[in-house]
């Protein structure tokens, strides 16, 4: 099966091999050294500034999202929404009693910083929570502009970096981010099961909500910074994540961004020639291409037909449910070779449609 979904992504052999290493304890000094190496690599990718907490939570990207809300001491939180994942942020913020205000935008367009600015003038917010790349729609949101506005308003800035970190230029310092997270199975092409997070020094002062135990970041820090026991960490996944982080940094973010952008542009052109249309009106996210199928072709049937041809892609979710194909260009997926195979399968399927 050729895996081309917007997460999980195929994992390179070096990462796969790390999973075969013998088991060690989660407090074994060698494992703690691996954790420190993971933190150093995450520091290079997140660039969170001095005094930040860096860790990989034992769970998927959604755990990273939840931890960023469960630990906030109080609301209100402003959530610009233009897709399924920003909707999820708003839902979680409500569950944690953070009084979210949803600022709604068209799912086909990026969040408009002017509207965010207006709302920040109207009311005082404790935090602004933005999704950098909306995987449900293929739209890239203006994180740097929104971050600057949040800082200006004296609010913390929470950023879902699931489809950007490791593939696109990223710096919490430059973007004014206090809390950011991703999932290991997206742009890093590691197995699912870890949520890398970074919490700025300022964020650490505000994250004293202490709701829950497992995702209490002060307790997580006791393990990741002090080497003490909090919970039994998935050691083999740590080995694999470290390999994936090394691969990303060895290649370099500039080269990875180029790879994603070039594959995105080429693939979009190939699909336009076959009668597909892009879902977003602009502000394309280079790591997820979302397209509407040609007239008369049903998106979800196309997904199933491609699966029968040995190619796994995703259909729509949230606002794009049943209306689009979503093609992953994260990590290992951002290459022409697998997408040439996809296009061959697509042509076979479309000839029959
Ligand atoms: C995939 C994804 C998540 C959730 O991650 P899981 O690993 O599925 O829990 C959150 N935000 C965005 C933007 C995503 O693409």
């Amino acid at each position: 099966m050729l895996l081309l979904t917007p997460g999980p992504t195929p994992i390179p052999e070096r990462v796969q091999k790390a999973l075969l290493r013998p088991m060690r304890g989660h407090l074994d000094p060698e494992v703690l050294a691996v954790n420190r190496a993971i933190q150093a690599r995450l520091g290079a990718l997140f660039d969170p500034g001095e005094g930040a907490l860096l860790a990989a939570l034992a769970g998927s990207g959604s755990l990273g999202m939840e931890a960023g809300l469960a630990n906030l001491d109080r609301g209100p939180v402003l959530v610009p929404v233009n897709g399924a994942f920003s909707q999820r942020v708003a839902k979680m913020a409500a569950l944690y009693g953070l009084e979210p205000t949803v600022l709604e935008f068209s799912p086909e367009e990026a969040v408009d910083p002017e509207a965010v600015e207006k709302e920040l003038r109207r009311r005082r917010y404790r935090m602004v929570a933005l999704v950098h790349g909306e995987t449900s729609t293929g739209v890239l949101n203006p994180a740097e502009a929104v971050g600057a506005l949040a800082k200006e308003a004296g609010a913390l800035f929470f950023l879902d970096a699931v489809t950007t970190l490791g593939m696109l230029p990223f710096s919490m310092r430059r973007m004014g981010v206090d809390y950011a997270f991703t999932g290991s199975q997206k742009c890093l092409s590691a197995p699912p099961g870890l949520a890398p997070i970074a919490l700025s020094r300022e964020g650490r002062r505000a994250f004293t909500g202490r709701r829950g135990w497992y995702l209490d970041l002060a307790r997580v820090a006791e393990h990741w910074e002090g080497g003490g026991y909090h919970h039994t960490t998935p050691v083999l996944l740590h080995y694999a994540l470290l390999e994936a982080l090394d691969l990303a940094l060895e290649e370099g973010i500039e080269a990875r961004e180029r790879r994603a952008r070039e594959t995105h542009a080429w693939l979009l052109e190939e699909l336009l020639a076959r009668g597909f249309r892009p879902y977003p009106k602009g502000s394309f996210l280079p790591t997820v291409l979302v397209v509407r199928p040609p007239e008369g072709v049903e998106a979800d049937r196309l997904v199933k037909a491609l699966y029968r041809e040995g190619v796994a892609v995703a259909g729509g979710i949230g606002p794009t449910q049943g209306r689009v194909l979503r093609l992953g260009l994260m990590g290992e997926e951002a290459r022409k070779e697998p997408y040439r195979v996809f296009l061959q399968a697509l042509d076979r399927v479309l000839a029959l449609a």
Side-chain angles (χ1 to χ4, degrees):
M1 184 57 56
L2 180 60
L3 184 59
L4 292 173
T5 57
T9 52
I11 62 176
E13 201 184 339
R14 198 169 128 189
V15 176
Q16 185 92 59
K17 277 192 177 146
L19 296 167
L20 297 174
R21 280 182 216 153
M23 194 56 211
R24 278 181 182 260
H26 54 293
L27 301 180
D28 184 308
E30 275 194 31
V31 173
L32 296 180
V34 165
N35 293 356
R36 284 194 295 276
I38 288 173
Q39 287 175 302
R41 278 41 164 201
L42 292 180
L45 289 177
F46 280 109
D47 188 24
E50 288 294 306
L53 168 64
L54 290 153
L57 306 182
S60 75
S62 301
L63 182 71
M65 184 186 284
E66 188 150 351
L69 298 165
N71 283 276
L72 184 64
D73 57 349
R74 64 195 147 84
V77 174
L78 179 61
V79 190
V81 168
N82 61 344
F85 289 100
S86 36
Q87 196 69 58
R88 184 178 294 182
V89 172
K91 228 175 254 172
M92 280 188 191
L95 287 169
Y96 284 102
L98 293 174
E99 305 168 66
T101 293
V102 168
L103 200 56
E104 190 112 26
F105 296 89
S106 159
E108 294 172 19
E109 289 172 52
V111 164
D112 175 13
E114 267 181 41
V116 174
E117 184 172 21
K118 219 167 118 196
E119 181 58 28
L120 286 172
R121 286 224 180 95
R122 200 184 63 82
R123 187 177 175 196
R124 192 165 172 78
Y125 285 95
R126 181 80 168 130
M127 186 159 85
V128 178
L130 183 75
V131 173
H132 198 185
E134 250 300 348
T135 323
S136 61
T137 59
V139 168
L140 180 68
N141 283 319
E144 199 158 349
V146 173
L149 293 170
K151 292 291 96 158
E152 221 177 278
L156 296 163
F157 186 36
F158 163 116
L159 188 63
D160 174 330
V162 173
T163 55
T164 52
L165 188 96
M167 214 64 198
L168 300 182
F170 198 93
S171 162
M172 287 173 64
R173 278 188 307 135
R174 184 169 44 75
M175 299 158 123
V177 179
D178 292 292
Y179 180 78
F181 65 93
T182 186
S184 50
Q185 82 279 21
K186 301 269 177 121
C187 291
L188 296 169
S189 278
L194 287 172
I197 62 141
L199 177 63
S200 72
R201 190 201 305 245
E202 199 181 321
R204 291 179 87 148
R205 286 195 203 109
F207 273 34
T208 54
R210 293 285 165 111
R211 294 182 203 85
W213 182 93
Y214 199 85
L215 39 67
D216 176 354
L217 290 181
R219 292 179 199 275
V220 168
E222 283 171 21
H223 175 67
W224 279 86
E225 293 177 341
Y229 169 59
H230 175 230
H231 63 274
T232 308
T233 55
V235 169
L236 298 182
L237 293 183
H238 288 206
Y239 292 160
L241 177 63
L242 180 56
E243 292 300 329
L245 289 167
D246 275 339
L247 278 170
L249 290 168
E250 282 162 22
E251 182 180 5
I253 297 304
E254 259 177 50
R256 287 167 80 83
E257 179 187 21
R258 203 176 321 120
R259 192 149 66 68
R261 287 190 187 279
E262 281 173 10
T263 313
H264 185 285
W266 164 79
L267 182 58
L268 179 56
E269 204 166 298
E270 290 286 337
L271 289 168
L272 289 174
R274 289 165 173 82
F276 287 77
R277 286 153 302 145
Y279 179 80
K281 286 188 178 146
S283 198
F284 290 108
L285 172 63
T287 52
V288 185
L289 178 54
V290 180
V291 286
R292 301 175 200 264
E295 211 64 56
V297 179
E298 213 184 289
D300 286 346
R301 287 177 70 166
L302 191 50
V303 171
K304 285 195 187 111
L306 286 164
Y307 186 84
R308 285 194 294 271
E309 294 286 329
V311 180
V313 299
I317 49 167
T320 57
Q321 182 84 49
R323 300 164 65 187
V324 299
L325 288 196
R326 292 183 308 130
L327 308 169
L329 296 165
M330 304 178 192
E332 287 305 297
E333 298 172 326
R335 300 182 193 281
K336 283 188 185 173
E337 304 85 78
Y339 273 103
R340 284 206 183 94
V341 177
F342 158 83
L343 288 171
Q344 285 163 7
L346 181 65
D347 287 340
R348 286 197 296 276
V349 166
L350 288 178
L352 296 174

